[in-house]
Amino acid sequence: MCKKYNKVSFDRPRREKKLPNILSKENLISKIGNIKNIKHKAIISIAYSCGLRVSEVINLKILDIDSSRMLVKIVGGKGNKDRYVPLSENMLLLLRGYFRLNRPKEYLFNGQSGHRYSATSCKKIVKQHISEKHSFHSLRHSCFTHLLES
């Protein structure tokens, strides 16, 4: 019995834990390779290669990419925690190509208004280029599953 409200409390049944929807490594790399739009390719690639959430991708600033140490600084991730994630050489080359073409000012991925790219737009490009049945978060699940498999 809850003392504060004098109500009876009870245990709720546990939710079912389902396995995440994972993309095959070969299929995902093939689909990323076929993307012609360099901004879309960079967004999907960094999300997959670094295992980032959509909020972490859109909040990336140019100064968060440390090419000398090959790290990406994630500021204010889930739980408002900061962390560093490793950056691959191929990802750095893709980001440099993207930067030369787009010349972002503050945020790495600018939206149409010049500020940052929107989460909705990121989710749409996954549906457009990867699969209708997968979400942006599927890239994160796939990243860590592929790391475990390796």
Side-chain angles (χ1 to χ4, degrees):
M1 201 176 206
C2 295
K3 291 181 182 181
K4 189 173 183 181
Y5 298 108
N6 294 329
K7 292 186 180 180
V8 176
S9 66
F10 58 91
D11 293 332
R12 297 186 187 272
R14 290 182 181 237
R15 272 184 40 199
E16 229 179 288
K17 289 187 180 180
K18 296 183 180 181
L19 291 174
N21 202 352
I22 304 300
L23 296 138
S24 78
K25 190 174 191 176
E26 297 76 23
N27 185 24
L28 186 56
I29 290 170
S30 167
K31 287 185 178 201
I32 291 172
N34 291 332
I35 299 172
K36 302 292 183 239
N37 184 319
I38 193 160
K39 180 188 267 187
H40 292 180
K41 188 177 211 167
I43 288 171
I44 289 174
S45 295
I46 199 161
Y48 172 64
S49 71
C50 297
L52 302 182
R53 297 175 178 90
V54 68
S55 62
E56 295 167 344
V57 170
I58 63 175
N59 288 320
L60 276 178
K61 294 186 176 178
I62 298 162
L63 298 174
D64 294 335
I65 308 298
D66 187 348
S67 58
S68 62
R69 293 172 47 207
M70 297 301 286
L71 294 172
V72 178
K73 183 179 182 182
I74 306 301
V75 179
K78 189 172 181 180
N80 207 24
K81 294 178 183 170
D82 298 347
R83 69 181 192 281
Y84 285 97
V85 294
L87 180 67
S88 72
E89 187 70 38
N90 289 338
M91 190 66 238
L92 180 62
L93 293 174
L94 177 62
L95 288 176
R96 284 182 173 161
Y98 160 76
F99 185 83
R100 277 193 293 276
L101 287 174
N102 291 278
R103 296 287 179 198
K105 301 287 184 250
E106 180 185 2
Y107 288 96
L108 186 59
F109 300 109
N110 288 337
Q112 289 180 344
S113 63
H115 200 52
R116 63 182 180 166
Y117 211 61
S118 73
T120 305
S121 296
C122 287
K123 293 172 185 177
K124 284 180 183 174
I125 64 173
V126 169
K127 300 288 184 196
Q128 177 186 352
H129 296 292
I130 305 299
S131 167
E132 278 290 325
K133 67 179 185 172
H134 289 92
S135 65
F136 195 92
H137 207 71
S138 297
L139 298 171
R140 181 175 165 83
H141 287 302
S142 298
C143 168
F144 294 118
T145 300
H146 297 159
L147 282 174
L148 279 171
E149 289 172 350
S150 295

mmCIF file of all heavy atoms in Angstrom, residues 1 17 23 25 30 38 45 47 50 56 58-59 63 66 68 70 73 84 92-93 106-107 109 112 128 138 143-144 150:
data_model
loop_
_atom_site.group_PDB
_atom_site.id
_atom_site.type_symbol
_atom_site.label_atom_id
_atom_site.label_comp_id
_atom_site.label_asym_id
_atom_site.label_seq_id
_atom_site.Cartn_x
_atom_site.Cartn_y
_atom_site.Cartn_z
ATOM 1 N N MET A 1 0.834 -1.181 0.000
ATOM 2 C CA MET A 1 0.000 0.000 0.000
ATOM 3 C C MET A 1 0.881 1.248 0.000
ATOM 4 O O MET A 1 1.854 1.324 0.730
ATOM 5 C CB MET A 1 -0.880 -0.020 1.238
ATOM 6 C CG MET A 1 -2.093 0.813 1.155
ATOM 7 S SD MET A 1 -3.048 0.565 2.668
ATOM 8 C CE MET A 1 -4.614 0.932 2.052
ATOM 9 N N LYS A 17 10.745 -8.234 -24.302
ATOM 10 C CA LYS A 17 11.970 -7.678 -24.868
ATOM 11 C C LYS A 17 12.228 -8.366 -26.197
ATOM 12 O O LYS A 17 12.524 -9.557 -26.243
ATOM 13 C CB LYS A 17 13.151 -7.869 -23.919
ATOM 14 C CG LYS A 17 13.080 -6.998 -22.699
ATOM 15 C CD LYS A 17 14.352 -7.092 -21.885
ATOM 16 C CE LYS A 17 14.244 -6.199 -20.670
ATOM 17 N NZ LYS A 17 15.437 -6.253 -19.841
ATOM 18 N N LEU A 23 20.396 -5.030 -39.852
ATOM 19 C CA LEU A 23 20.669 -5.133 -41.278
ATOM 20 C C LEU A 23 21.932 -5.973 -41.473
ATOM 21 O O LEU A 23 22.842 -5.907 -40.653
ATOM 22 C CB LEU A 23 20.926 -3.737 -41.860
ATOM 23 C CG LEU A 23 19.736 -2.790 -41.802
ATOM 24 C CD1 LEU A 23 20.167 -1.410 -41.382
ATOM 25 C CD2 LEU A 23 19.089 -2.754 -43.153
ATOM 26 N N LYS A 25 25.551 -6.868 -42.816
ATOM 27 C CA LYS A 25 26.697 -5.992 -43.053
ATOM 28 C C LYS A 25 26.901 -5.743 -44.550
ATOM 29 O O LYS A 25 27.089 -4.600 -44.977
ATOM 30 C CB LYS A 25 27.949 -6.627 -42.446
ATOM 31 C CG LYS A 25 29.147 -5.730 -42.405
ATOM 32 C CD LYS A 25 30.271 -6.418 -41.649
ATOM 33 C CE LYS A 25 31.388 -5.465 -41.365
ATOM 34 N NZ LYS A 25 32.445 -6.082 -40.557
ATOM 35 N N SER A 30 26.590 -2.123 -49.124
ATOM 36 C CA SER A 30 26.205 -1.971 -50.533
ATOM 37 C C SER A 30 25.243 -0.797 -50.721
ATOM 38 O O SER A 30 25.400 0.010 -51.637
ATOM 39 C CB SER A 30 25.563 -3.272 -51.020
ATOM 40 O OG SER A 30 24.934 -3.082 -52.247
ATOM 41 N N ILE A 38 26.068 13.202 -51.187
ATOM 42 C CA ILE A 38 27.169 13.055 -50.225
ATOM 43 C C ILE A 38 26.747 13.383 -48.794
ATOM 44 O O ILE A 38 27.237 12.786 -47.843
ATOM 45 C CB ILE A 38 28.420 13.858 -50.650
ATOM 46 C CG1 ILE A 38 29.629 13.417 -49.808
ATOM 47 C CG2 ILE A 38 28.174 15.353 -50.557
ATOM 48 C CD1 ILE A 38 30.955 13.754 -50.397
ATOM 49 N N SER A 45 26.509 7.069 -42.911
ATOM 50 C CA SER A 45 27.799 6.431 -42.639
ATOM 51 C C SER A 45 28.301 6.717 -41.226
ATOM 52 O O SER A 45 28.782 5.816 -40.542
ATOM 53 C CB SER A 45 28.846 6.900 -43.643
ATOM 54 O OG SER A 45 28.508 6.478 -44.929
ATOM 55 N N ALA A 47 26.515 7.596 -38.635
ATOM 56 C CA ALA A 47 25.612 6.955 -37.675
ATOM 57 C C ALA A 47 25.959 5.477 -37.530
ATOM 58 O O ALA A 47 26.026 4.950 -36.417
ATOM 59 C CB ALA A 47 24.168 7.122 -38.122
ATOM 60 N N CYS A 50 29.970 4.913 -36.270
ATOM 61 C CA CYS A 50 30.236 5.330 -34.884
ATOM 62 C C CYS A 50 29.140 4.897 -33.918
ATOM 63 O O CYS A 50 29.263 5.111 -32.711
ATOM 64 C CB CYS A 50 30.404 6.848 -34.820
ATOM 65 S SG CYS A 50 31.808 7.461 -35.758
ATOM 66 N N GLU A 56 22.446 12.691 -31.708
ATOM 67 C CA GLU A 56 23.884 12.899 -31.651
ATOM 68 C C GLU A 56 24.437 13.307 -33.017
ATOM 69 O O GLU A 56 25.344 14.135 -33.101
ATOM 70 C CB GLU A 56 24.575 11.630 -31.147
ATOM 71 C CG GLU A 56 24.207 11.310 -29.712
ATOM 72 C CD GLU A 56 24.604 9.934 -29.242
ATOM 73 O OE1 GLU A 56 24.913 9.067 -30.084
ATOM 74 O OE2 GLU A 56 24.598 9.717 -28.014
ATOM 75 N N ILE A 58 22.733 14.975 -35.471
ATOM 76 C CA ILE A 58 22.331 16.338 -35.835
ATOM 77 C C ILE A 58 22.968 17.396 -34.940
ATOM 78 O O ILE A 58 23.074 18.553 -35.339
ATOM 79 C CB ILE A 58 20.793 16.514 -35.878
ATOM 80 C CG1 ILE A 58 20.152 16.286 -34.521
ATOM 81 C CG2 ILE A 58 20.187 15.607 -36.937
ATOM 82 C CD1 ILE A 58 18.668 16.566 -34.471
ATOM 83 N N ASN A 59 23.425 17.003 -33.753
ATOM 84 C CA ASN A 59 24.074 17.962 -32.850
ATOM 85 C C ASN A 59 25.589 18.021 -33.014
ATOM 86 O O ASN A 59 26.252 18.790 -32.312
ATOM 87 C CB ASN A 59 23.725 17.649 -31.391
ATOM 88 C CG ASN A 59 22.292 17.998 -31.062
ATOM 89 O OD1 ASN A 59 21.784 19.016 -31.511
ATOM 90 N ND2 ASN A 59 21.627 17.136 -30.317
ATOM 91 N N LEU A 63 33.801 21.285 -34.798
ATOM 92 C CA LEU A 63 34.888 21.177 -33.814
ATOM 93 C C LEU A 63 34.878 19.856 -33.043
ATOM 94 O O LEU A 63 35.838 19.540 -32.352
ATOM 95 C CB LEU A 63 34.824 22.348 -32.833
ATOM 96 C CG LEU A 63 34.999 23.731 -33.456
ATOM 97 C CD1 LEU A 63 34.764 24.822 -32.419
ATOM 98 C CD2 LEU A 63 36.374 23.870 -34.076
ATOM 99 N N ASP A 66 37.814 15.312 -34.241
ATOM 100 C CA ASP A 66 39.237 15.445 -33.927
ATOM 101 C C ASP A 66 40.027 14.511 -34.842
ATOM 102 O O ASP A 66 40.223 13.332 -34.534
ATOM 103 C CB ASP A 66 39.480 15.096 -32.455
ATOM 104 C CG ASP A 66 40.901 15.362 -31.993
ATOM 105 O OD1 ASP A 66 41.773 15.607 -32.851
ATOM 106 O OD2 ASP A 66 41.131 15.317 -30.766
ATOM 107 N N SER A 68 43.178 14.572 -35.678
ATOM 108 C CA SER A 68 44.529 14.212 -35.235
ATOM 109 C C SER A 68 44.500 12.996 -34.306
ATOM 110 O O SER A 68 45.398 12.165 -34.336
ATOM 111 C CB SER A 68 45.207 15.393 -34.539
ATOM 112 O OG SER A 68 44.478 15.764 -33.386
ATOM 113 N N MET A 70 41.719 10.982 -34.265
ATOM 114 C CA MET A 70 40.743 10.073 -34.898
ATOM 115 C C MET A 70 39.593 9.732 -33.938
ATOM 116 O O MET A 70 39.232 8.582 -33.733
ATOM 117 C CB MET A 70 41.426 8.801 -35.409
ATOM 118 C CG MET A 70 42.453 9.051 -36.494
ATOM 119 S SD MET A 70 41.756 9.873 -37.938
ATOM 120 C CE MET A 70 40.832 8.558 -38.676
ATOM 121 N N LYS A 73 33.796 13.665 -30.727
ATOM 122 C CA LYS A 73 33.305 14.008 -29.393
ATOM 123 C C LYS A 73 31.790 14.132 -29.463
ATOM 124 O O LYS A 73 31.245 14.901 -30.246
ATOM 125 C CB LYS A 73 33.905 15.327 -28.921
ATOM 126 C CG LYS A 73 33.496 15.715 -27.529
ATOM 127 C CD LYS A 73 34.150 17.021 -27.115
ATOM 128 C CE LYS A 73 33.774 17.374 -25.694
ATOM 129 N NZ LYS A 73 34.370 18.659 -25.295
ATOM 130 N N TYR A 84 33.633 10.052 -26.165
ATOM 131 C CA TYR A 84 34.382 10.026 -27.413
ATOM 132 C C TYR A 84 34.140 8.684 -28.088
ATOM 133 O O TYR A 84 34.074 7.657 -27.407
ATOM 134 C CB TYR A 84 35.885 10.198 -27.175
ATOM 135 C CG TYR A 84 36.292 11.609 -26.844
ATOM 136 C CD1 TYR A 84 36.462 12.015 -25.530
ATOM 137 C CD2 TYR A 84 36.503 12.535 -27.854
ATOM 138 C CE1 TYR A 84 36.836 13.309 -25.218
ATOM 139 C CE2 TYR A 84 36.881 13.837 -27.558
ATOM 140 C CZ TYR A 84 37.042 14.219 -26.244
ATOM 141 O OH TYR A 84 37.410 15.507 -25.953
ATOM 142 N N LEU A 92 36.644 9.569 -42.061
ATOM 143 C CA LEU A 92 37.276 10.877 -42.085
ATOM 144 C C LEU A 92 37.392 11.395 -43.526
ATOM 145 O O LEU A 92 37.116 12.569 -43.792
ATOM 146 C CB LEU A 92 38.655 10.834 -41.421
ATOM 147 C CG LEU A 92 39.411 12.155 -41.385
ATOM 148 C CD1 LEU A 92 38.645 13.204 -40.583
ATOM 149 C CD2 LEU A 92 40.801 11.958 -40.815
ATOM 150 N N LEU A 93 37.773 10.536 -44.454
ATOM 151 C CA LEU A 93 37.879 10.930 -45.862
ATOM 152 C C LEU A 93 36.519 11.347 -46.424
ATOM 153 O O LEU A 93 36.410 12.334 -47.160
ATOM 154 C CB LEU A 93 38.474 9.795 -46.694
ATOM 155 C CG LEU A 93 39.930 9.449 -46.408
ATOM 156 C CD1 LEU A 93 40.354 8.209 -47.184
ATOM 157 C CD2 LEU A 93 40.843 10.626 -46.722
ATOM 158 N N GLU A 106 28.639 26.000 -38.456
ATOM 159 C CA GLU A 106 28.775 25.588 -37.055
ATOM 160 C C GLU A 106 28.521 24.093 -36.903
ATOM 161 O O GLU A 106 29.377 23.344 -36.463
ATOM 162 C CB GLU A 106 27.797 26.380 -36.177
ATOM 163 C CG GLU A 106 27.877 26.006 -34.717
ATOM 164 C CD GLU A 106 26.820 26.702 -33.866
ATOM 165 O OE1 GLU A 106 25.992 27.454 -34.410
ATOM 166 O OE2 GLU A 106 26.832 26.480 -32.648
ATOM 167 N N TYR A 107 27.299 23.674 -37.259
ATOM 168 C CA TYR A 107 26.947 22.265 -37.178
ATOM 169 C C TYR A 107 27.516 21.538 -38.391
ATOM 170 O O TYR A 107 27.590 22.098 -39.484
ATOM 171 C CB TYR A 107 25.428 22.083 -37.118
ATOM 172 C CG TYR A 107 24.853 22.507 -35.789
ATOM 173 C CD1 TYR A 107 24.321 23.778 -35.613
ATOM 174 C CD2 TYR A 107 24.861 21.642 -34.707
ATOM 175 C CE1 TYR A 107 23.810 24.181 -34.389
ATOM 176 C CE2 TYR A 107 24.349 22.030 -33.471
ATOM 177 C CZ TYR A 107 23.828 23.303 -33.328
ATOM 178 O OH TYR A 107 23.331 23.679 -32.116
ATOM 179 N N PHE A 109 26.200 19.065 -40.042
ATOM 180 C CA PHE A 109 25.146 18.869 -41.035
ATOM 181 C C PHE A 109 24.135 20.001 -40.921
ATOM 182 O O PHE A 109 23.341 20.048 -39.983
ATOM 183 C CB PHE A 109 24.471 17.509 -40.845
ATOM 184 C CG PHE A 109 25.442 16.367 -40.980
ATOM 185 C CD1 PHE A 109 25.825 15.622 -39.878
ATOM 186 C CD2 PHE A 109 26.000 16.050 -42.211
ATOM 187 C CE1 PHE A 109 26.729 14.578 -39.990
ATOM 188 C CE2 PHE A 109 26.908 15.012 -42.344
ATOM 189 C CZ PHE A 109 27.278 14.276 -41.226
ATOM 190 N N GLN A 112 18.193 23.364 -44.264
ATOM 191 C CA GLN A 112 17.921 24.344 -45.315
ATOM 192 C C GLN A 112 18.029 25.769 -44.813
ATOM 193 O O GLN A 112 18.439 26.658 -45.537
ATOM 194 C CB GLN A 112 16.535 24.097 -45.908
ATOM 195 C CG GLN A 112 16.477 22.841 -46.738
ATOM 196 C CD GLN A 112 15.106 22.601 -47.326
ATOM 197 O OE1 GLN A 112 14.115 23.190 -46.894
ATOM 198 N NE2 GLN A 112 15.037 21.728 -48.305
ATOM 199 N N GLN A 128 14.526 6.219 -47.271
ATOM 200 C CA GLN A 128 14.755 6.393 -48.703
ATOM 201 C C GLN A 128 15.906 5.525 -49.214
ATOM 202 O O GLN A 128 15.787 4.889 -50.255
ATOM 203 C CB GLN A 128 15.057 7.864 -48.995
ATOM 204 C CG GLN A 128 15.377 8.179 -50.438
ATOM 205 C CD GLN A 128 15.801 9.636 -50.619
ATOM 206 O OE1 GLN A 128 15.712 10.442 -49.693
ATOM 207 N NE2 GLN A 128 16.257 9.966 -51.799
ATOM 208 N N SER A 138 18.139 1.587 -36.169
ATOM 209 C CA SER A 138 18.598 0.287 -36.670
ATOM 210 C C SER A 138 20.067 0.343 -37.067
ATOM 211 O O SER A 138 20.770 -0.666 -36.997
ATOM 212 C CB SER A 138 17.772 -0.152 -37.881
ATOM 213 O OG SER A 138 16.429 -0.338 -37.548
ATOM 214 N N CYS A 143 25.440 -1.493 -36.031
ATOM 215 C CA CYS A 143 26.839 -1.190 -35.741
ATOM 216 C C CYS A 143 27.357 -2.073 -34.612
ATOM 217 O O CYS A 143 28.385 -2.755 -34.766
ATOM 218 C CB CYS A 143 26.988 0.284 -35.357
ATOM 219 S SG CYS A 143 28.590 0.718 -34.640
ATOM 220 N N PHE A 144 26.658 -2.088 -33.512
ATOM 221 C CA PHE A 144 27.151 -2.834 -32.352
ATOM 222 C C PHE A 144 27.017 -4.344 -32.523
ATOM 223 O O PHE A 144 27.849 -5.110 -32.033
ATOM 224 C CB PHE A 144 26.469 -2.337 -31.075
ATOM 225 C CG PHE A 144 26.855 -0.920 -30.753
ATOM 226 C CD1 PHE A 144 25.911 0.084 -30.715
ATOM 227 C CD2 PHE A 144 28.177 -0.576 -30.543
ATOM 228 C CE1 PHE A 144 26.268 1.399 -30.459
ATOM 229 C CE2 PHE A 144 28.559 0.731 -30.282
ATOM 230 C CZ PHE A 144 27.601 1.718 -30.237
ATOM 231 N N SER A 150 32.364 -9.422 -35.073
ATOM 232 C CA SER A 150 33.774 -9.381 -35.489
ATOM 233 C C SER A 150 34.673 -9.785 -34.337
ATOM 234 O O SER A 150 35.806 -10.073 -34.474
ATOM 235 C CB SER A 150 34.152 -7.977 -35.945
ATOM 236 O OG SER A 150 33.432 -7.650 -37.108
#
